[in-house]
Amino acid sequence: NIGDLMGEYFAGRNNIKAGFIMHGTPFYGTHLRDMSARQEIIDRYRNIDICAYGRFEAFEDAYEECRKMIEAHPDIEAMYVTWDRPALEVIRALKDIGREDVSVFTTDLDLEIGKYLGAGRIVKGISSQRPYEQGVAVAMAAAKALVGGECFKYVAIEPYTVKREGLLRAWKDVMHEEAP
């Protein structure tokens, strides 16, 4: 979803430079999400060049990773950040260096990142997990396993694409409550 959000946002423009800031720990789900976003850009959006990759261990380290990346590649216009907490650190770094013109794309919807998207500032697209639906899927898989059904090593559900114009509906669909 993030690859498509970034690609759609920059449709009709050429030579867009993007940076990817990913989690440094080899957690399967996060790694798969990062590599899928990367591959989507490479395969479908030839107008976007991923010119820099960075990794962090603690999400606070995304701040310095962003600063170093922008310093080395000042022509970056787009930033993929693996999830919302490190994305907030990237946003803080971009503000501190006066680069609020960089468009950030990330995953996971929460109040703070949603405010940036809703205001049309910095955050241009989110691919959110759906925690309630994930819980139901895991519960169903566990129940099936307990009654002798198939055991799954990994249970996942389709993420939810969140754009500014659909933010209030997305909040309700993802959080199962009205937007604050």
Side-chain angles (χ1 to χ4, degrees):
N1 289 358
I2 291 296
D4 287 334
L5 283 165
M6 188 183 290
E8 291 169 12
Y9 184 79
F10 289 106
R13 293 192 48 209
N14 292 317
N15 202 27
I16 302 299
K17 301 294 184 195
F20 267 50
I21 296 182
M22 303 174 291
H23 199 226
T25 302
F27 176 67
Y28 176 74
T30 305
H31 177 75
L32 182 62
R33 176 175 58 209
D34 294 344
M35 292 304 100
S36 295
R38 175 186 171 272
Q39 199 61 48
E40 190 71 7
I41 294 293
I42 290 169
D43 290 347
R44 295 192 56 218
Y45 302 101
R46 302 215 185 268
N47 61 320
I48 300 174
D49 172 31
I50 303 171
C51 64
Y53 293 92
R55 295 191 180 280
F56 65 90
E57 297 295 324
F59 66 78
E60 299 87 359
D61 297 338
Y63 178 94
E64 192 56 39
E65 201 61 42
C66 175
R67 287 183 66 103
K68 290 188 304 188
M69 189 177 288
I70 295 293
E71 183 178 300
H73 303 276
D75 54 348
I76 285 178
E77 296 181 61
M79 189 77 69
Y80 164 88
V81 188
T82 192
W83 79 83
D84 61 328
R85 292 285 95 191
L88 291 170
E89 293 298 317
V90 166
I91 291 167
R92 190 168 63 88
L94 291 170
K95 286 180 170 186
D96 286 353
I97 60 176
R99 288 299 309 275
E100 293 183 58
D101 61 314
V102 175
S103 300
V104 173
F105 300 85
T106 191
T107 64
D108 299 339
L109 178 60
D110 79 351
L111 184 57
E112 195 170 358
I113 208 80
K115 285 180 181 180
Y116 281 106
L117 179 65
R121 298 185 343 247
I122 302 179
V123 177
K124 304 301 181 186
I126 299 169
S127 177
S128 183
Q129 296 183 52
R130 298 182 317 168
Y132 292 94
E133 287 76 9
Q134 182 71 32
V136 169
V138 169
M140 294 298 291
K144 286 179 183 178
L146 288 172
V147 296
E150 187 176 357
C151 292
F152 299 97
K153 291 182 180 181
Y154 197 82
V155 178
I157 60 161
E158 191 73 27
Y160 194 110
T161 299
V162 186
K163 298 179 182 178
R164 182 174 186 246
E165 60 273 8
L167 177 58
L168 295 178
R169 177 66 187 173
W171 187 276
K172 185 172 176 84
D173 289 347
V174 170
M175 303 298 183
H176 291 242
E177 65 184 26
E178 294 297 326

